[in-house]
Amino acid sequence: MHELSIAQSLLDIVVEEATRNRLGSVNKVRLRIGELAAVVPESLTFCFDLVSRDTVASGAAIEIESVAVTARCDRCEVSFEVKDRVFECPRCGEPVLEMLSGRELYVMSIEGETGEEDG
Ligand SMILES: [Zn+2]
């Protein structure tokens, strides 16, 4: 399952960040995900719930901001937004293979509380 492995690596990042910032619990994780990363938000949230059980990120809300796919035509030196996965330069009609964005998956921020009490 695609989302499960993503959730797992996401959890690793979150736990590492939480440790670095001495967070006792993580309330919210904000992500940026490219439209081509082929991630189903509901599925990722579900998987994250599963893998984060009994960790500092247990019960954290996942907020996903999706990033449009953009590509660049070498010939015209134009960047454009790719719609409906048509990788074609809007100016010259050449197929474009160079992608600028759309596959990324970034953790933008993590919100939580320092766990001095409660553990
Ligand atoms: Zn072009």
Side-chain angles (χ1 to χ4, degrees):
M1 242 171 107
H2 183 60
E3 277 82 3
L4 190 58
S5 59
I6 292 174
Q8 189 61 61
S9 33
L10 177 60
L11 178 67
D12 290 345
I13 296 169
V14 171
V15 169
E16 198 184 307
E17 277 301 303
T19 308
R20 190 178 304 160
N21 294 294
R22 293 163 204 255
L23 298 179
S25 64
V26 176
N27 300 332
K28 196 194 274 183
V29 179
R30 287 179 60 222
L31 302 174
R32 269 178 85 103
I33 299 180
E35 282 172 4
L36 271 192
V39 172
V40 180
E42 292 77 21
S43 184
L44 181 60
T45 306
F46 176 78
C47 292
F48 190 80
D49 274 354
L50 281 182
V51 297
S52 66
R53 246 172 232 177
D54 300 321
T55 72
V56 69
S58 174
I62 305 285
E63 224 173 67
I64 296 170
E65 185 190 324
S66 76
V67 182
V69 182
T70 53
R72 184 175 179 280
C73 176
D74 265 346
R75 187 187 288 185
C76 313
E77 300 190 331
V78 289
S79 301
F80 58 95
E81 191 173 320
V82 177
K83 299 248 165 74
D84 304 319
R85 305 198 175 195
V86 178
F87 284 81
E88 210 171 72
C89 174
R91 195 174 292 179
C92 69
E94 283 289 305
V96 172
L97 300 173
E98 190 190 352
M99 213 168 19
L100 298 177
S101 71
R103 274 204 177 133
E104 59 269 82
L105 198 155
Y106 296 135
V107 176
M108 299 294 287
S109 69
I110 295 171
E111 288 173 27
E113 278 152 31
T114 48
E116 315 248 310
E117 290 129 289
D118 304 339

